[in-house]
Amino acid sequence: MEHEDDLRIREKVRAHEQTPGALDKDRLWSVLALPGSARPAKRIAVYYAAASLILAAAVIFYSLELTHRKALELRLAEIELSLKQEKIPETAAMNPVAQEVACPEAEQRPKPQLARRTNLRKPVVVPENNAAHESTPPLPPVVALHAVPEPSLETITNQAPVTQPIEDQHAPAKVILGKSLSPSSVTKQGRLTFRLFLDEDNKSAAPLNATPVVTLAGINN
Amino acid sequence: MFRLACRYIRSSTDSEDVLVMAFTKVFANIHGFDTRGDGSLEGWIRKVVVNESLMWLRRRHNFNMTESIEGNTDYVDLGGFSQLPVEEICRFIAELPNGYRTVFNLFVIEGYNHAEIAAMLEISENTSRTQLFKAKALLKKILTREGFHYGT
């Protein structure tokens, strides 16, 4: 019996201890907060209230500003309209110079005629009996253009042409600097002479000074 | 564990300090803990908190549990007490003196026997039994005072 009572009390108390307790935030913050400082929850609420007040004041100010601006615009529009309506008679009375003056009829000038193309190739026929054109100078007669002579016909033959090809007619003289190709240019020592021009007969073209001897040993290797 | 500490130490502020010290020891010695089942960790932490609470009580209060009643202690019926709501049970236990409350908690709620209680509190087994008897008798008086009628 006593043991059963003790067991019953034990079960109840242990079940109660295993039940999680509710968190008391205010008490917790009061324990954790530094001494002398306000509670963070209250501080945050104050901040929220201040921010909402500022926001509301800004919204109210902006709406008032908008309505005031609209009223100003309406008033300006009315003033402009009234000014426009009164402007015409007022300007006439204030500024007589600006009045419209009736001008006499303008002299009618002959309308300028469009210029037309004149065909110079066509022979101009000058009417004889037209008195209006007598004062104008006579036009020169049409002159035939200088005809290009036709080229003479050439017969086709099998003989080779005598004339030099067009390429070589005006080509400059070929100059070889260095090795000469003719066998006579090789001296007794087996050295190659130095020639300036291709034409070997034209000795006047050779330099007055002795031809420099260039040794090209092993060039044929 | 906070409610457990509050059953031994009536002040909530002191219970918080005891709880902090107890969990400091738990975290410091957790590497040496050997898990054996689902409730083993809870039981181990519970033991640490109880020991820490007893150490706190021993430093601040003199239990003076030297008196012992020789002979058989009468059976105290706490049937009505066990049927009360748990909040009332805890409230009545908190009204007991330190010595009575400690032995009652260790024997009835924690489940220690008198030999273990004697070793923990450094008292004799007779003293432990006497303290328990007196605790139950006092609880019965409190129930009568509060107007709870029970009958056997």
Side-chain angles (χ1 to χ4, degrees), chain A residues 155-166:
Chain A
T155 56
I156 298 171
T157 58
N158 292 330
Q159 294 178 358
V162 179
T163 57
Q164 290 181 353
I166 299 170

Side-chain angles (χ1 to χ4, degrees), chain A residues 96-109:
Chain A
V97 179
Q99 287 181 5
E100 189 177 351
V101 178
C103 298
E105 291 181 359
E107 294 177 358
Q108 292 186 359
R109 296 179 185 175

